[in-house]
Amino acid sequence: IMIPTSLAPYHISTNVYDGFAIVCLRLVYTCSSGSCPNPRRYPTEPLLCTAPIKYQYANFSANYLYWGKGTIQFQLINQRSDFSFALFTGGLENPKLVGLTKLSPFKNPKAPVFPRLAQGKTHDEMAVTWTSGYDVGEAYPFVEWGMVTSGSGGGNPARTPAGTLTFNRGSMCGAPARTIGWRDPGFIHTAFMRGLWPNKEYFYKVGHELPDGTVVWGKPYTFRAPPTPGQSSLQRVIVFGDMGKAERDGSNEYANYQPGSLNTTDALVKDLDNFDMVFHIGDLPYANGYISQWDQFTAQVAPISARKPYMIASGNHERDWPNTGGFFDVEDSGGECGVLAETMYYYPAENRANFWYKVDYGMFRFCVADSEHDWREGTPQYKFIEECLSTVDRKHQPWLVFAAHRVLGYSSNKWYAEQGSFEEPKGRESLQKLWQRHRVDLAIFGHVHNYERTCPLYQNQCVSNERSRYSGTMNGTIFVVAGGGGSHLNGYTSAVPKWSVFRDRDYGFTKLTAFNHSSLLFEYKRSSDGEVYDNFTIHRDYRDVLGCVHDSCFPTTLAT
């Protein structure tokens, strides 16, 4: 794309053989030895002081390879700034700038983009979060919304003001987020649409009112309001983890190892009318400290998140950084230390720094835990988990689901097997009695990049010989690993444990369908074709929830 300024737009022409082209949001400086602060990168990435948004190899164009001229196409999204296109020679380890040009492809770079819905703290509340280049001193952010009425398409709209957040380089905990990966995130706005009627369809669009009274609008969308807790109706929920993002134009990017990401995104977009809510349980963009990739991720999932509540959990690639209060002292977040995830998305937690919360959706209750903070007995998170599991009314919300990023249950992943525990270290020891006592139907995890389902389990033992149709008293919890959303796949131990019912080393996602208070369907679908490769059903009545099994009931008296 349009590298030397003397050439026509969208055209590369140079006689340099080993070049590569990049696109960035400001001038890119090449590095001499030791001149870059912490140039954290993979060996296949250019050694530059400022990480580009994306890059391509110029010699991938046949014309360039043979004639010294070629064309490369980049797909751009609105990221609140002009773009620079640069051509380098010298290879990845010693890049030298050949040509640079700038482009302003968007009429209004500050316009609101990438809306993302999330269910609020109550069933009749929907939050919408979006990104723009407008600070509150420049324009007033709001959402205009209303109920869709028959015939007219929309009733009298209401306007609700939005809150505005941002962060700076000093908010980051380390490199590359503080150094070569830093990029201004713009402004993050969240507004709440409250008092929603259950199952009604609503329209909305976000906007910014300028000082002269004119409004800069985002695109219009619709969504369906959640059902009331306990309501009996068809309810369908998608759950997966570890999706990441990828470039549709074939470009490379830093931390680029999520080859199945677009397949999963496209499969969900194609099936958008057949589910109601999404839980992405950790490892969202795998930005790993390269801040611009959060824009790329929110743009990629916007066709989903603008129409359906997109609930998230915290993963190691969002939160973990040494000496920052997390449970794991590793550098997986690239210095983000949770700031991006906690700001870019809304989730109904009591404390945004504590990434645990509950969601009541019709006949479901979801208890979402934060595996990057201590969950063991005696901690604040353990208290939350116990309260979330114990306070649900199973007469009306029979389907109880626990979700977290790391595998706090069971997985026959190779590295867990080598440790001998088939779990995250210290994973289930504090939680399995809670799951058993409160009859958790499903515990779903990510982190391991594959799919696996267990039998109903308690203390390493299968409590049912059934494999696909469960009925009557539930004696244990079914554990699912659904971490094949898009990142590079992981293998299993060669010996299959007795409790492992189905394994699939492929990209995919899971779907829960509640038909009524007595019937639930679970499906695992591959992203490549959207077909079902594993499924089971649960059929039971309320008395089956009450029935006592090992460690599930409190003591009784012999008195008459």
Side-chain angles (χ1 to χ4, degrees), residues 80-406:
R80 305 169 302 283
S81 179
D82 294 342
F83 291 83
S84 295
F85 297 89
L87 182 67
F88 288 87
T89 185
L92 300 178
E93 298 300 323
N94 189 30
K96 294 181 176 60
L97 185 65
V98 175
L100 179 75
T101 192
K102 295 183 179 181
L103 178 68
S104 301
F106 295 98
K107 183 177 180 180
N108 183 0
K110 292 187 174 184
V113 289
F114 318 141
R116 31 216 189 261
L117 296 173
Q119 185 169 315
K121 293 182 179 179
T122 58
H123 71 278
D124 62 348
E125 177 180 272
M126 189 71 74
V128 58
T129 301
W130 70 96
T131 306
S132 85
Y134 289 113
D135 196 356
V136 290
E138 300 176 272
Y140 195 84
F142 65 92
V143 60
E144 185 172 278
W145 60 283
M147 188 185 297
V148 174
T149 57
S150 58
S152 64
N156 295 324
R159 286 190 178 183
T160 303
T164 299
L165 297 174
T166 190
F167 51 89
N168 56 36
R169 191 190 298 258
S171 303
M172 303 293 97
C173 292
R178 278 181 82 103
T179 56
I180 64 171
W182 169 253
R183 180 179 182 274
D184 190 291
F187 300 95
I188 315 303
H189 316 278
T190 299
F192 295 90
M193 296 169 278
R194 296 187 169 100
L196 304 177
W197 290 27
N199 297 94
K200 286 287 189 179
E201 188 175 7
Y202 286 82
F203 65 89
Y204 78 94
K205 58 181 177 179
V206 300
H208 293 259
E209 185 177 281
L210 301 175
D212 63 2
T214 60
V215 175
V216 179
W217 291 106
K219 294 180 180 180
Y221 297 96
T222 62
F223 69 89
R224 190 168 296 279
T228 57
Q231 177 183 307
S232 183
S233 59
L234 183 65
Q235 295 155 15
R236 305 153 301 178
V237 180
I238 300 292
V239 186
F240 62 88
D242 305 77
M243 186 170 76
K245 78 283 162 219
E247 295 292 347
R248 293 191 183 275
D249 59 14
S251 295
N252 302 286
E253 58 191 10
Y254 282 32
N256 182 25
Y257 52 87
Q258 304 98 50
S261 172
L262 292 178
N263 279 352
T264 300
T265 301
D266 293 345
L268 294 176
V269 171
K270 183 179 179 181
D271 204 38
L272 200 59
D273 293 332
N274 295 313
F275 62 87
D276 307 303
M277 175 181 277
V278 172
F279 282 86
H280 187 159
I281 51 174
D283 285 4
L284 308 179
Y286 287 89
N288 297 348
Y290 298 107
I291 309 302
S292 70
Q293 294 185 17
W294 280 89
D295 281 329
Q296 294 165 255
F297 176 76
T298 53
Q300 180 175 311
V301 301
I304 306 166
S305 66
R307 295 278 312 281
K308 309 291 181 179
Y310 200 94
M311 315 303 295
I312 67 169
S314 180
N316 53 305
H317 287 277
E318 282 79 53
R319 178 61 182 82
D320 291 358
W321 191 257
N323 198 31
T324 59
F327 196 41
F328 296 88
D329 234 20
V330 293
E331 298 184 354
D332 294 355
S333 76
E336 294 178 15
C337 54
V339 174
L340 273 296
E342 294 165 15
T343 307
M344 298 291 287
Y345 281 83
Y346 172 82
Y347 47 95
E350 293 301 322
N351 181 343
R352 300 277 288 171
N354 296 334
F355 221 120
W356 50 80
Y357 62 92
K358 67 177 176 68
V359 173
D360 290 318
Y361 189 85
M363 295 175 285
F364 289 101
R365 168 166 286 187
F366 291 89
C367 297
V368 181
D370 179 2
S371 63
E372 310 316 301
H373 284 91
D374 196 348
W375 59 83
R376 294 173 297 174
E377 196 165 357
T379 63
Q381 181 165 201
Y382 182 90
K383 181 179 179 181
F384 156 78
I385 295 171
E386 185 173 32
E387 182 178 1
C388 185
L389 298 179
S390 64
T391 56
V392 60
D393 182 353
R394 299 298 286 276
K395 292 190 299 296
H396 304 297
Q397 291 178 277
W399 311 118
L400 182 56
V401 181
F402 178 89
H405 178 64
R406 292 177 184 261

Side-chain angles (χ1 to χ4, degrees), residues 369 371 374-377 379 381-383 385-386 389 402 404 406-409 423 426-438 440 445 458 477 479:
S371 63
D374 196 348
W375 59 83
R376 294 173 297 174
E377 196 165 357
T379 63
Q381 181 165 201
Y382 182 90
K383 181 179 179 181
I385 295 171
E386 185 173 32
L389 298 179
F402 178 89
R406 292 177 184 261
V407 181
L408 307 184
E423 61 164 345
K426 305 177 183 178
R428 60 181 176 266
E429 282 72 15
S430 294
L431 298 177
Q432 58 185 346
K433 286 189 176 181
L434 286 182
W435 295 329
Q436 182 75 352
R437 181 186 307 154
H438 300 295
V440 173
F445 309 100
Y458 183 52
T477 298
F479 296 90

Side-chain angles (χ1 to χ4, degrees), residues 71-85:
T71 299
I72 293 178
Q73 294 183 343
F74 289 100
Q75 180 178 343
L76 304 180
I77 59 173
N78 192 341
Q79 293 186 266
R80 305 169 302 283
S81 179
D82 294 342
F83 291 83
S84 295
F85 297 89

Side-chain angles (χ1 to χ4, degrees), residues 16-22 30-31 41 43-48 55 57 59 87-98:
V16 179
Y17 182 81
D18 57 347
F20 61 91
I22 71 168
T30 57
C31 291
R41 64 183 184 101
T44 57
E45 298 164 349
L47 181 57
L48 301 171
Y55 61 97
Y57 297 105
N59 58 8
L87 182 67
F88 288 87
T89 185
L92 300 178
E93 298 300 323
N94 189 30
K96 294 181 176 60
L97 185 65
V98 175

